[in-house]
């Protein structure tokens, strides 16, 4: 039990530091700008049709490769200083022990990735609250955008996928998009952690490579199978008969294997990691 308390204390100490980290505020501002930029036309469309929009915007918000780059980039910035070693953390490492401290930081990455996408979900609704009507159905607006070019006409920057609307309930689409986005964010954080340990400053480049690779894969669809960040949205997972995207069982098992592998490598490598030279 003492192990558990130490690990959780390490994780929450790092989480508490977020509010005083300039990266947090920069990233929050960027995300709010992106959400506003890609959803600001919703109000005009709702006024034109006389119908309010359902709150299920998140599953479609960054389906396009370029919006995915934008929405995941702030998370790369948040994790850019992994393994998060500073003068105070040197003292914490000495008190808690290397392995417990490292596990605490891994839990921190898991938690921050989840909080990041919860933030996007909440503000995709709050920034459009004037034209939102809470319903357990997809609603007329999203269905119309999925079947027509109404989104383009009103300069709306996200595009609902008809297959997702037809095959998933809003709750299912929200859950699977959040889950896969969360796992993709964890992969970015772990990649930054591992590469920064090997070569100081290389972590953000490694995470950015995974992100940019998802954009390249969107233009070469057979490569989607090797692009975990691409699977963060349902339009790149096999959900209909005539697509060639990876099955969800493959996606789920690959996420689990990659995250487990990276965690093990990080824990092994951190035992001999020179924290004094990596602050």
């Amino acid at each position: 039990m003492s192990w558990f308390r130490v690990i959780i204390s390490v994780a929450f100490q790092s989480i508490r530091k977020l509010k005083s980290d300039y990266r947090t505020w920069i990233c929050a501002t960027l995300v709010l700008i992106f959400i506003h930029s890609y959803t600001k036309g919703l109000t005009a469309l709702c006024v034109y049709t006389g119908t309010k929009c359902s709150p299920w915007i998140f599953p479609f918000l960054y389906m396009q490769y370029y919006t995915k780059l934008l929405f995941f980039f702030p998370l790369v910035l948040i994790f850019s200083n992994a393994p998060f070693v500073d003068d105070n953390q040197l003292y914490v490492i000495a008190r808690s022990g290397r392995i417990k401290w490292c596990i605490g930081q891994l839990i921190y990455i898991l938690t921050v990735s989840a909080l990041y996408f919860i933030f996007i979900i909440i503000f995709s609704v709050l920034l459009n609250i004037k034209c939102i009507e809470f319903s357990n159905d997809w609603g007329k607006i999203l269905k119309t955008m999925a079947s027509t070019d109404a989104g383009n006409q009103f300069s709306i920057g996200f595009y609902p996928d008809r297959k997702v609307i037809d095959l998933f309930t809003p709750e299912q689409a929200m859950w699977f998009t959040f889950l896969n986005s969360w796992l993709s964010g964890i992969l970015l954080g772990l990649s930054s952690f591992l590469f920064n340990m090997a070569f100081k400053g290389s972590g953000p480049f490694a995470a950015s490579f995974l992100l940019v690779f998802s954009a390249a894969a969107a233009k070469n669809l057979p490569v989607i199978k090797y692009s975990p960040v691409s699977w963060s949205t349902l339009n790149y997972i096999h959900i209909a008969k005539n697509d060639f995207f990876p099955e969800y069982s493959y996606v789920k098992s690959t996420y689990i294997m990659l995250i487990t592998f990276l965690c093990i490598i990080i824990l092994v490598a951190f035992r001999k990691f020179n924290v004094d030279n990596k602050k």
Side-chain angles (χ1 to χ4, degrees):
M1 184 59 71
S2 61
W3 262 65
F4 179 77
R5 285 198 297 266
V6 170
I7 289 169
I8 295 302
S9 295
V10 169
F12 275 89
Q13 183 189 52
S14 294
I15 292 169
R16 286 193 296 268
K17 286 184 177 181
L18 283 172
K19 63 183 179 182
S20 59
D21 189 336
Y22 72 92
R23 279 179 292 261
T24 303
W25 300 103
I26 291 174
C27 292
T29 302
L30 287 174
V31 169
L32 293 176
I33 290 172
F34 296 153
I35 294 173
H36 173 70
S37 176
Y38 286 104
T39 64
K40 62 184 178 181
L42 269 179
T43 300
L45 177 58
C46 290
V47 170
Y48 179 79
T49 60
T51 305
K52 290 195 172 184
C53 182
S54 65
W56 315 113
I57 299 168
F58 175 69
F60 311 112
L61 192 56
Y62 47 86
M63 276 189 165
Q64 286 66 46
Y65 71 89
Y66 51 89
T67 51
K68 194 164 292 184
L69 287 172
L70 290 176
F71 277 95
F72 273 86
F73 171 75
L75 197 55
V76 173
L77 180 59
I78 290 173
F79 293 138
S80 63
N81 65 327
F84 320 111
V85 177
D86 56 26
D87 291 333
N88 178 65
Q89 292 298 333
L90 291 175
Y91 172 76
V92 177
I93 292 171
R95 289 289 304 273
S96 62
R98 282 177 172 261
I99 296 302
K100 285 179 279 189
W101 185 88
C102 189
I103 294 173
Q105 297 306 322
L106 297 181
I107 291 175
Y108 165 76
I109 290 175
L110 269 65
T111 304
V112 170
S113 180
L115 291 175
Y116 179 80
F117 291 104
I118 290 171
F119 181 85
I120 293 177
I121 291 171
I122 292 172
F123 280 93
S124 67
V125 175
L126 290 182
L127 291 182
N128 298 285
I129 196 67
K130 290 183 179 179
C131 66
I132 293 292
E133 181 178 56
F134 289 90
S135 165
N136 60 359
D137 182 66
W138 284 113
K140 180 179 178 181
I141 293 294
L142 293 178
K143 288 180 178 178
T144 299
M145 289 175 60
S147 303
T148 69
D149 66 343
N152 284 330
Q153 292 181 31
F154 287 87
S155 300
I156 300 171
F158 69 94
Y159 306 93
D161 189 297
R162 188 76 226 184
K163 290 187 297 182
V164 173
I165 287 177
D166 289 340
L167 297 173
F168 292 87
T169 65
E171 293 86 355
Q172 289 172 333
M174 290 285 287
W175 165 247
F176 284 115
T177 303
F178 169 76
L179 177 62
N180 290 1
S181 296
W182 174 52
L183 294 173
S184 295
I186 292 170
L187 280 177
L188 295 178
L190 294 178
S191 299
S192 189
F193 195 119
L194 181 60
F195 276 83
N196 273 343
M197 281 201 299
F199 304 100
K200 186 176 181 180
S202 66
F205 293 99
S208 297
F209 171 80
L210 292 176
L211 192 52
V212 173
F213 184 68
S214 72
K219 297 185 177 182
N220 187 13
L221 296 184
V223 182
I224 292 290
K225 186 176 182 179
Y226 309 104
S227 175
V229 178
S230 297
W231 313 332
S232 57
T233 50
L234 291 170
N235 57 322
Y236 289 124
I237 296 175
H238 179 71
I239 58 175
K241 288 184 178 180
N242 297 320
D243 66 44
F244 303 97
F245 300 128
E247 298 277 354
Y248 191 72
S249 57
Y250 168 85
V251 168
K252 180 173 63 175
S253 59
T254 302
Y255 273 135
I256 292 172
M257 286 189 295
L258 286 174
I259 290 172
T260 302
F261 174 76
L262 286 172
C263 286
I264 292 172
I265 294 298
I266 287 170
L267 287 170
V268 171
F270 196 76
R271 293 168 67 91
K272 298 182 178 180
F273 177 61
N274 187 350
V275 293
D276 293 313
N277 292 333
K278 301 293 181 176
K279 291 187 290 180

